[in-house]
C-alpha cells in the first residue's frame, strides 16, 4: 500500500468528494479540525463503503461517520470508567490483605518492598505452581522470568516514590520510632543521604502503580494473601489461573481505550493466550493463532468485564446507534450497517448484545 504522505485538509475534502460522500464543506472543515482523519474515516470506511475499487460512498453522509465515531467514543469513555473501578477495587483488596498479614506494625510498614514476602514464579521453593505456570512463553514471560526487576523490589523504590510524587512528602511519613527491618526499601533524600525514619504505607504507595504493575503484583502474592483477595471477588483459590487471565484481557482493553483507539476495532494482541476455563465459563470465541487459542474481540472481553461490574448502562448507547443508522440509511441499509458494526466487535446479533449487557 505504501507510506501515506501529508495531505492538506482541502485535499482530504476533495478526496472525500471524489468518493461521493455527502457533506457540507464548512461542516467538513470543522470536523477535520476536531477529529483525527485516520480514526474517523480510514478507521470506519470499511463499514460504509459501497464500492472498494474505486472507493465510493453512495448514499452515505458525513453524519453517518460521525454517528458511529461518537458511539465509539461514548462506548470507550464508559468502558474506561468501568475499568478504573475494577483497578481501584483490585488495589484496595491487595493493599488491605497484604498489609493485614505483613505490615501490621510500625516497623513492618515497608514490608511490601521485601521480596521474601512474595513468591517468585520461577522458584519452585516459593511458588507451588512454578513448573506448570501458565503462558510463560507468552504474556507471562516477564512476570515469570524477571521477578527481581519488579518495581517494588528496586533499590530506590521508596526514594523514587517520594521524590517523584509531590503529594507524598517525606516529612509527613517520618517517625523517629520507625526502624527499617532487613530487606525493605530505605529512603534516600535528594542529597543521597539515607533517612531510616521514613516509611510510606502500602495503601498510599499502591496508588502510584499502573494497572499492569498491579496485575503483575497479583501474580507474586503468596497463596495466603491471594486467597483473601480472590474471596473479595467471589472466587476460590483453585481458580487462580483463570482469575489472573481475566485481568490480562482487561489490561489489553484498558490500554486500547487509554490510547483512544477505536473500541469497535479492538483486538487482544496475538501473544495473549486464553485460559480454557474462561472459554467454557464465558463462552468465549477466540481466534486460533498457530496452535493456541488467542485473539479476543470486544464482545468477549466485555463478557469478562461483566463479571466485575454491571454493564447494563451500555445498552442505551447500543440502542441509539442501532436506531440512528436505520433512521439515517433506511431499514435495509441501516440493519446491514448495524450487522457490520456488531460483527466487527465480535458478535453480529443485536439481541445477543442486549442479553450480554443485561
Amino acid at each position: 500500500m505504501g507510506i501515506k504522505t501529508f495531505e492538506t485538509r482541502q485535499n482530504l475534502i476533495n478526496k472525500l468528494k471524489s468518493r461521493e460522500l455527502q457533506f457540507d464543506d464548512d461542516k467538513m472543515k470543522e470536523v477535520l479540525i476536531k477529529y483525527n482523519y485516520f480514526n474517523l474515516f480510514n478507521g470506519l470506511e470499511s463499514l460504509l463503503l459501497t464500492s472498494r475499487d474505486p472507493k465510493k460512498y453512495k448514499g452515505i453522509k458525513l453524519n453517518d461517520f460521525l454517528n458511529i465515531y461518537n458511539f465509539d467514543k461514548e462506548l470507550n469513555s464508559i468502558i474506561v470508567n468501568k475499568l478504573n473501578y475494577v483497578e481501584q477495587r483490585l488495589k484496595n483488596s491487595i493493599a488491605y490483605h497484604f498489609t493485614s498479614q505483613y505490615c501490621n506494625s510500625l516497623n513492618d510498614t515497608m514490608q511490601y518492598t521485601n521480596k521474601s514476602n512474595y513468591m517468585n514464579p520461577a522458584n519452585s521453593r516459593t511458588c507451588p505452581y512454578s513448573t506448570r505456570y501458565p503462558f510463560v512463553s507468552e504474556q507471562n514471560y516477564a512476570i515469570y522470568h524477571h521477578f527481581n526487576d519488579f518495581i517494588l523490589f528496586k533499590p530506590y523504590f521508596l526514594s523514587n516514590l517520594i521524590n517523584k510524587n509531590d503529594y507524598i512528602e517525606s516529612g509527613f511519613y517520618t517517625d523517629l520510632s520507625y526502624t527499617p527491618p532487613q530487606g525493605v526499601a530505605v529512603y534516600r533524600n535528594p542529597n543521597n543521604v539515607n533517612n531510616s525514619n521514613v516509611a510510606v504505607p502500602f495503601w498510599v504507595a499502591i496508588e502510584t502503580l499502573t494497572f499492569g504493575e498491579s496485575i503483575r503484583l497479583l501474580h507474586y502474592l503468596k497463596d495466603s494473601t491471594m486467597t483473601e483477595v480472590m474471596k473479595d471477588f467471589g472466587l476460590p483459590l483453585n481458580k487462580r489461573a483463570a482469575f489472573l487471565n481475566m485481568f490480562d484481557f482487561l489490561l489489553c482493553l484498558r490500554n486500547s481505550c487509554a490510547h483512544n483507539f477505536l473500541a469497535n476495532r479492538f483486538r487482544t494482541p496475538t501473544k495473549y493466550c486464553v485460559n480454557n476455563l474462561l472459554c467454557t465459563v464465558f463462552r468465549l470465541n477466540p481466534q486460533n493463532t498457530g496452535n493456541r487459542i488467542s485473539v479476543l474481540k470486544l464482545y468477549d472481553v466485555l463478557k469478562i468485564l461483566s463479571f466485575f461490574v454491571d454493564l447494563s448502562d451500555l445498552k442505551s448507547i447500543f440502542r441509539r446507534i442501532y436506531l440512528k443508522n436505520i433512521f439515517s440509511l433506511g431499514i435495509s441499509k441501516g440493519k446491514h450497517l448495524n450487522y457490520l458494526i456488531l460483527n466487527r466487535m465480535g458478535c453480529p446479533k443485536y439481541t445477543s448484545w442486549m442479553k450480554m449487557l443485561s
Side-chain angles (χ1 to χ4, degrees):
M1 181 170 62
I3 299 172
K4 298 281 188 180
T5 57
F6 169 77
E7 290 190 71
T8 66
R9 289 173 180 150
Q10 188 57 54
N11 282 348
L12 294 173
I13 290 173
N14 294 339
K15 178 190 290 187
L16 293 170
K17 277 186 177 179
S18 72
R19 295 175 180 175
E20 300 182 21
L21 182 66
Q22 299 172 18
F23 58 86
D24 173 79
D25 281 23
D26 290 338
K27 175 68 174 177
M28 180 61 79
K29 289 176 183 177
E30 181 184 332
V31 164
L32 291 177
I33 291 172
K34 288 183 177 180
Y35 302 112
N36 179 286
Y37 179 90
F38 176 82
N39 279 341
L40 179 56
F41 293 106
N42 293 72
L44 301 177
E45 68 177 8
S46 62
L47 299 171
L48 292 162
L49 282 170
T50 51
S51 170
R52 293 177 181 274
D53 189 17
K55 290 183 178 181
K56 295 294 181 182
Y57 299 113
K58 294 180 180 178
I60 302 298
K61 302 175 287 295
L62 172 60
N63 274 345
D64 295 319
F65 275 95
L66 291 175
N67 286 340
I68 302 172
Y69 185 83
N70 290 331
F71 154 76
D72 195 282
K73 293 297 107 179
E74 188 177 4
L75 179 61
N76 188 310
S77 176
I78 295 175
I79 289 173
V80 166
N81 287 335
K82 303 286 185 184
L83 291 167
N84 286 344
Y85 168 78
V86 175
E87 177 185 4
Q88 193 60 55
R89 185 179 168 192
L90 178 66
K91 286 180 175 179
N92 289 343
S93 181
I94 293 173
Y96 177 80
H97 293 297
F98 188 95
T99 301
S100 70
Q101 292 185 34
Y102 298 101
C103 309
N104 50 24
S105 69
L106 177 63
N107 280 348
D108 287 329
T109 299
M110 293 302 302
Q111 285 289 359
Y112 64 91
T113 63
N114 189 339
K115 289 187 286 188
S116 66
N117 294 324
Y118 299 89
M119 67 178 188
N120 179 350
N123 187 335
S124 58
R125 294 193 302 274
T126 66
C127 177
Y129 318 104
S130 180
T131 58
R132 60 184 190 279
Y133 212 80
F135 310 135
V136 294
S137 298
E138 292 84 19
Q139 65 257 43
N140 292 337
Y141 182 89
I143 290 169
Y144 186 84
H145 292 286
H146 301 293
F147 172 78
N148 290 327
D149 293 334
F150 184 53
I151 186 171
L152 294 184
F153 310 149
K154 297 288 186 181
Y156 302 112
F157 170 76
L158 183 56
S159 303
N160 290 331
L161 178 69
I162 293 172
N163 296 338
K164 294 181 179 181
N165 294 282
D166 291 341
Y167 63 93
I168 303 177
E169 298 181 11
S170 60
F172 187 81
Y173 294 104
T174 298
D175 191 318
L176 297 179
S177 300
Y178 172 72
T179 303
Q182 182 116 14
V184 306
V186 177
Y187 177 60
R188 177 177 290 185
N189 68 25
N191 296 319
N192 288 324
V193 176
N194 283 352
N195 184 340
S196 59
N197 299 127
V198 176
V200 177
F202 195 18
W203 59 84
V204 176
I206 201 170
E207 292 301 317
T208 67
L209 299 186
T210 65
F211 194 20
E213 289 166 344
S214 300
I215 293 169
R216 183 168 177 172
L217 174 60
L218 198 59
H219 280 262
Y220 297 150
L221 296 181
K222 291 183 177 180
D223 280 354
S224 57
T225 310
M226 189 64 155
T227 297
E228 298 305 313
V229 170
M230 290 187 64
K231 278 183 183 176
D232 285 348
F233 292 92
L235 290 173
L237 183 64
N238 63 9
K239 299 296 187 295
R240 180 182 184 275
F243 182 63
L244 292 170
N245 195 218
M246 292 165 77
F247 281 103
D248 288 338
F249 300 114
L250 297 189
L251 178 62
C252 291
L253 183 57
R254 167 68 177 275
N255 289 343
S256 178
C257 291
H259 287 91
N260 288 312
F261 297 142
L262 290 171
N264 74 83
R265 295 178 66 92
F266 171 76
R267 304 286 187 277
T268 59
T270 55
K271 74 172 185 177
Y272 280 77
C273 293
V274 189
N275 179 281
N276 286 320
L277 180 61
L278 290 188
C279 289
T280 302
V281 172
F282 291 103
R283 298 182 179 180
L284 306 180
N285 185 35
Q287 298 176 16
N288 288 319
T289 58
N291 296 320
R292 60 191 184 184
I293 53 174
S294 186
V295 181
L296 297 176
K297 296 183 180 181
L298 183 64
Y299 182 73
D300 279 341
V301 178
L302 288 182
K303 284 182 181 179
I304 295 171
L305 180 58
S306 70
F307 175 82
F308 298 94
V309 290
D310 177 18
L311 299 182
S312 60
D313 51 343
L314 290 177
K315 292 174 71 173
S316 60
I317 68 169
F318 275 85
R319 286 197 193 100
R320 282 201 298 274
I321 189 61
Y322 192 86
L323 294 174
K324 278 184 177 180
N325 288 336
I326 290 175
F327 181 79
S328 176
L329 297 171
I331 294 176
S332 179
K333 288 182 69 174
K335 283 188 174 182
H336 180 65
L337 176 57
N338 288 327
Y339 173 90
L340 294 177
I341 295 170
L342 298 181
N343 188 55
R344 175 186 274 189
M345 294 191 290
C347 177
K349 295 182 179 179
Y350 177 74
T351 53
S352 296
W353 280 91
M354 293 298 100
K355 182 178 180 180
M356 185 270 287
L357 296 173
S358 295

